Amino acid sequence: MSLVVYLAALVFGMTSVLLFRRPRTAMRNPLTQSTCAAIVLGALVFVCAAPATLATVNELTGVPNFGAPLTYGMLSAYSCAVLVLLINWRGGSRERVRRMVLRTMAAYGLLVVAIVVLFALADADTERLTDLDTYYAGTPFMREMILLYLLGHTAAMLVMCAVCVKWGREVGGLLRAGLRLILLGALLDVVGFQLTKYTAVVARWSGHDLDFLSTTVAPPMASLAALLCSAGFALPRLLPPVVAHWRGLGDYRRLDPLWSLVKSVSTAPKPPASWWQLPQARLQWREVSIHDALLALAPYFDHRVRERVRDTALGAGRSPHEARLAAEAAMLADAARRAVAGEEPPETPGTYRLHATEVLGPSGLVELAQTLDRPPAASGGAVPSSRTGPMAEPEEPHVA
């Protein structure tokens, strides 16, 4: 059982590591701080609740069941952190947020103190590593301590459920998806963990034995609930950059035909070769290098080539935009051939801006690269027969 709990704590804690991947930025963001604090405390609850940890803590302190107030106090701190996270997530004026956070921390701080005091007053000399809640359900002071930590956690989860339902009607997209995951996790916590604990404790009061609900059913339900909540908190924060890097990797690869054509004339400095470099950084470097190469090739643009291919594409029924892309691809391929062959620029140069340089981001370059990679029939015409000499290439804007 300890191994399963430790594994849940590890998975839970890794979410915090991902969110805290940029410490300097994260430390200035209250939302990131509170998210990481809630997830770390949740992971610590699992670590403290593992039977192996409880046995070690009891042995080191020399106090039977000392791990109980430690675990319950950590769970109360986690409940407080969840509420603080919700407060920061909701936002508002700085003073209002600060006031609500302080009130929440004060309330749960008193709860932790009460748990410790009640444990100190109780007679709990028999060590129980898995069934303490039901074993001491009728013991004075221990009974109150158990109910107190359960009520504190229940209050936090019910507030979270209410907030998620309310906010879910006001937002959309990833934020709504995250709220639904949090709501699912909170409901699972209430039903699968807390309700089973309450049922097992009340059963003991009435002379029945339903301890399996507390010892067998509740722990895995609590683990699953916490993982769902952490996923809900992290999803709106982690998924957008992940999607952005995935798209960046796709754009980086789609630029290959264009980069293969112009890389020989690019003078942009090469970045250090790092296999771990993020796709967005690789894409940014390739964009800069391609734009640098396009500037170098501009004097070699032959506008007669462009106009001829454009007219051919329009005559073939292509849209004006497709015809322009096909014409620019042909002109660029011709310019690259001239530059590599050391030929003189055309006698009638002119000022012309490629479509790829008129739009922000890599989309224009990607369009140009994909036009280069299409067969001549699809791109609206081949590169004209001005390609002559020993370095002539097939008469098409395709670059392998």
Side-chain angles (χ1 to χ4, degrees), residues 95-124:
E95 283 301 317
R96 178 178 177 276
V97 170
R98 182 174 177 272
R99 184 169 60 253
M100 294 181 67
V101 167
L102 290 177
R103 288 177 179 175
T104 302
M105 293 177 66
Y108 277 88
L110 292 174
L111 177 62
V112 173
V113 171
I115 289 173
V116 174
V117 171
L118 288 169
F119 177 78
L121 295 174
D123 182 11

Side-chain angles (χ1 to χ4, degrees), residues 16-96:
S16 176
V17 174
L18 293 173
L19 287 170
F20 215 69
R21 63 193 184 279
R22 295 179 181 176
R24 291 184 179 180
T25 304
M27 288 300 294
R28 295 192 295 267
N29 189 335
L31 182 56
T32 302
Q33 290 180 24
S34 54
T35 303
C36 291
I39 294 175
V40 168
L41 286 171
L44 289 176
V45 170
F46 288 125
V47 173
C48 293
T53 303
L54 293 173
T56 302
V57 169
N58 295 340
E59 182 180 356
L60 291 176
T61 59
V63 179
N65 300 311
F66 186 86
L70 176 64
T71 302
Y72 299 158
M74 198 67 69
L75 181 61
S76 300
Y78 168 67
S79 301
C80 176
V82 166
L83 293 179
V84 170
L85 172 56
L86 291 173
I87 293 170
N88 283 313
W89 203 356
R90 181 62 172 175
S93 67
R94 182 175 299 180
E95 283 301 317
R96 178 178 177 276

Side-chain angles (χ1 to χ4, degrees), residues 45-252:
V45 170
F46 288 125
V47 173
C48 293
T53 303
L54 293 173
T56 302
V57 169
N58 295 340
E59 182 180 356
L60 291 176
T61 59
V63 179
N65 300 311
F66 186 86
L70 176 64
T71 302
Y72 299 158
M74 198 67 69
L75 181 61
S76 300
Y78 168 67
S79 301
C80 176
V82 166
L83 293 179
V84 170
L85 172 56
L86 291 173
I87 293 170
N88 283 313
W89 203 356
R90 181 62 172 175
S93 67
R94 182 175 299 180
E95 283 301 317
R96 178 178 177 276
V97 170
R98 182 174 177 272
R99 184 169 60 253
M100 294 181 67
V101 167
L102 290 177
R103 288 177 179 175
T104 302
M105 293 177 66
Y108 277 88
L110 292 174
L111 177 62
V112 173
V113 171
I115 289 173
V116 174
V117 171
L118 288 169
F119 177 78
L121 295 174
D123 182 11
D125 295 334
T126 303
E127 184 181 60
R128 311 301 298 186
L129 300 180
T130 59
D131 62 345
L132 183 140
D133 289 346
T134 51
Y135 185 85
Y136 288 108
T139 303
F141 300 113
M142 286 294 286
R143 174 183 58 227
E144 287 76 11
M145 182 192 73
I146 294 167
L147 284 177
L148 203 56
Y149 97 80
L150 284 174
L151 289 172
H153 188 55
T154 300
M157 292 300 105
L158 290 178
V159 169
M160 188 156 64
C161 287
V163 170
C164 289
V165 171
K166 180 181 178 182
W167 292 355
R169 299 168 181 167
E170 303 173 3
V171 299
L174 285 177
L175 188 54
R176 174 178 288 181
L179 287 171
R180 288 177 176 174
L181 280 175
I182 296 171
L183 177 60
L184 181 59
L187 289 174
L188 188 60
D189 189 291
V190 171
V191 176
F193 174 72
Q194 297 169 40
L195 187 59
T196 55
K197 286 281 187 179
Y198 284 124
T199 303
V201 169
V202 171
R204 275 287 183 142
W205 292 349
S206 60
H208 297 85
D209 185 354
L210 295 178
D211 290 7
F212 77 93
L213 292 176
S214 177
T215 58
T216 305
V217 177
M221 292 297 101
S223 301
L224 181 57
L227 291 174
L228 286 173
C229 286
S230 67
F233 285 127
L235 181 67
R237 310 292 305 282
L238 291 179
L239 194 56
V242 169
V243 172
H245 284 302
W246 180 258
R247 290 175 178 170
L249 179 61
D251 287 342
Y252 179 84

Side-chain angles (χ1 to χ4, degrees), residues 22 241-255 271 274-288 362:
R22 295 179 181 176
V242 169
V243 172
H245 284 302
W246 180 258
R247 290 175 178 170
L249 179 61
D251 287 342
Y252 179 84
R253 291 173 175 171
R254 282 190 286 272
L255 286 174
S274 302
W275 64 268
W276 50 264
Q277 194 175 37
L278 292 176
Q280 288 284 66
R282 292 175 178 267
L283 175 63
Q284 185 178 18
W285 173 81
R286 179 161 284 190
E287 283 185 75
V288 171

